[in-house]
Amino acid sequence: MCGIMGVVAKRPVSQLLLDGLKKLEYRGYDSAGVATLVNGNIERRRAEGKLEKLGDLIKERPLPGTVGIGHTRWATHGKPSEQNAHPHATNLVALVHNGIIENYQELKQELEKEGYHFNSETDTETIAVLLTRSLEQQKTPEQAVAEALPRLKGAFSLAILFGHRDEMLIGVRRGSPLVVGYGQGEMYLGSDAIALASLTNKVTYLEDDDWVVLTPKGAQFYNRGKLVSRVVKQTAFSGELIGKGEFRHYMLKEIHEQPSVVGNLLKHYLQPQTRLPHFPSLAGQVDWNKIQRLNIVGCGTAYLSGMVAKYWFEKYAKIACNVDIGSEFRYREGCFIAGEATLGISQSGETIDTLGAIRYAKQQGQQTISLINVPESAMARESDVVVTTMAGPEIGVASTKAFTAQLTVLACLVIDAALKRHQLDVKTAQQLTAELLETPAILAQLLGKQDMIHKIAEKMTQAKDVLFLGRGVSYPLALEGALKFKELTYIHAEGYAAGEMKHGPIALIDDKVPVVVIAPNDYLLDKTLNNMEVVAARGGQVILISDRQGHERAKVGVHHRLEIPVNTHLINSPIIYALPMQMLAYQAAWLKGNDVDQPRNLAKSVTVE
Ligand code: F6R
């Protein structure tokens, strides 16, 4: 969602704000703005569109000032426009906001009755006006914030700048993340530590309902009116880790990181001697034998990794699973039985629907386990047990390495559960982990197949509709292939269980529809190939992804072939076959000239419902 940045210093801050916002652009990119104090007065520059436009504007009309706030927006209330771009300001206060103020209409009416005017369609401006009313009553900035916060409903974070107060900024966190950074004689605010990486690696993560007063000398934290102390942490982020390196796009870099991400995870979660899983954070906390049913929740790609895990958990560990989209699970009033646990999956650990599902599961008395990539996230803090995917920062809006990292950890969790529940013996478990240990090398080999993928992607750019088909663990992968393809190329794409085509969707097939068939050489290969032939017989342009044996068995009806260099196993095929799906979407989007890292209408870390 939106990115927030703030700096209070003794030197000009507008360039520092722009640099920080650049790193936050993945959170939203439909408009941007900054505000600083110039001779005590609030001055703003705002622009619709990408951050570059704001940079150009500031070049034309420089913005001096040693204290300032900045924002990159993903519109919720009010279309992307300069008028709706943050910071929103009066002559006394300016602020930037991430999240939603649910009761803004009610507050706006109250303030309008008192004669206040609004200049935007946003919920954010209500907070600026609310603070202004208190400041006009001669309240201090601290008093104004303390008065305003209880009036606001929703999840949000704020950075606030006050007229004629060039030594202070106030940051607020309720629900949405906010980080304080410590510099030499200057202090920073950011939506995440990544934004501050080139300025500092000493940070404090605000807790829920914290607000903080920043001066160049330090930070004072408050929670519900009381002064509180918060720990300073060292982050591992460096400019290099979050740069693009030699790659054209973050997404391409992140696709290429997968062999090492998967390899490092296996090193971490498999014991070196026995090659059996070990999860220190689960020890004494999760008793797999007591879990009668596992609810797996997530959104988008994370939900799809959960769908793959259901196949594995049920087959190997004999744990009944229910997989749900976060926003559905929390509101559908499902029937629960004693002994259920909920496993939430999320890269960011911030996605409000998944977080809401975890909270809901807790209210139902379930044990909650989170599989997340950002250890400091809200989901990590609120879950009973946390397992991390350690994939490093994922900046490309389309999730790639986080997905394969989730699958890798889930595979290890399944084997762990299966052993504890005596559903697998040690030897069989070791055979499975041996397959997993082959995965990084296979992924690296696949990265060398880009020419072939490029040729196929080129053909797919001409299509109006694309279908992705798979069976078993390849069914969720077909959904993931379609999700990646549509969000990056803007071409309509659907994923189907291959066996389901004949029940309706086959009506869509003609000789213009590319059909990607994911067919690893598993117990379902023949059935998948039969489904493929039915599609081919209706003119579908089949793109078959399989290993050598699969290709040999598929004699007819294949237009393009993509060969996976080795025979995979059920436990690692989804991790391996994910890579060509990502590359097809990446290449096709790039060939179409789309913005691969920041596809239209999207943003990473969705902190609104
Ligand atoms: C798709 C994609 C999204 C995310 C979803 C969940 O490429 O990136 O579908 O997977 O928004 O995000 P997290 O994992 O942060 O909860």
Side-chain angles (χ1 to χ4, degrees), residues 283-295:
Q285 299 287 326
V286 175
D287 184 346
W288 289 115
N289 283 298
K290 290 210 174 120
I291 295 180
Q292 299 303 318
R293 192 167 67 172
L294 188 63
N295 295 304

Side-chain angles (χ1 to χ4, degrees), residues 305-336:
S305 72
M307 258 179 97
V308 173
K310 173 185 164 82
Y311 284 85
W312 286 337
F313 269 116
E314 295 195 334
K315 175 178 169 65
Y316 294 116
K318 303 287 175 240
I319 300 180
C321 287
N322 158 51
V323 192
D324 250 305
I325 293 168
S327 54
E328 291 300 316
F329 179 75
R330 58 190 294 205
Y331 294 117
R332 76 177 164 82
E333 299 187 26
C335 294
F336 299 117

Side-chain angles (χ1 to χ4, degrees), residues 298-303 345-351 354 379 394 396-400 406 480 483-484 487 603-606:
C299 300
T301 292
Y303 161 73
I345 305 175
S346 172
Q347 186 283 128
S348 60
E350 257 185 57
T351 301
T354 313
M379 254 175 82
E394 192 180 62
V397 164
S399 190
T400 52
Q406 284 157 3
E480 168 62 4
L483 173 61
K484 215 94 300 173
E487 72 178 319
K604 214 163 174 75
S605 303
V606 185

Side-chain angles (χ1 to χ4, degrees), residues 21 40 104 222 244 317 441 451 459 483 546 593:
L21 291 178
Y104 86 101
Y222 297 85
K244 274 188 238 175
D451 286 352
K459 296 254 163 25
L483 173 61
S546 189

Side-chain angles (χ1 to χ4, degrees), residues 195-270:
L196 311 182
S198 56
L199 295 167
T200 184
N201 55 8
K202 270 169 68 187
V203 299
T204 294
Y205 293 88
L206 267 72
E207 292 185 12
D208 240 6
D209 275 313
D210 274 0
W211 52 281
V212 60
V213 180
L214 291 190
T215 68
K217 292 198 192 109
Q220 274 198 320
F221 296 88
Y222 297 85
N223 192 294
R224 295 179 181 90
K226 291 211 177 80
L227 201 58
V228 289
S229 58
R230 295 285 176 246
V231 286
V232 181
K233 289 190 176 172
Q234 202 83 13
T235 67
F237 296 138
S238 71
E240 236 166 73
L241 193 64
I242 54 182
K244 274 188 238 175
E246 79 227 47
F247 294 96
R248 205 162 44 210
H249 296 105
Y250 281 109
M251 183 180 174
L252 192 59
K253 174 176 176 248
E254 287 156 8
I255 289 174
H256 278 78
E257 281 171 357
Q258 294 177 110
S260 67
V261 166
V262 172
N264 288 339
L265 282 171
L266 293 172
K267 228 183 265 168
H268 188 83
Y269 288 118
L270 297 180

Side-chain angles (χ1 to χ4, degrees), residues 348-370:
S348 60
E350 257 185 57
T351 301
I352 200 79
D353 289 324
T354 313
L355 183 61
I358 286 282
R359 287 176 180 156
Y360 174 66
K362 255 191 163 176
Q363 282 163 10
Q364 304 302 314
Q366 295 180 22
Q367 182 172 43
T368 55
I369 308 165
S370 280

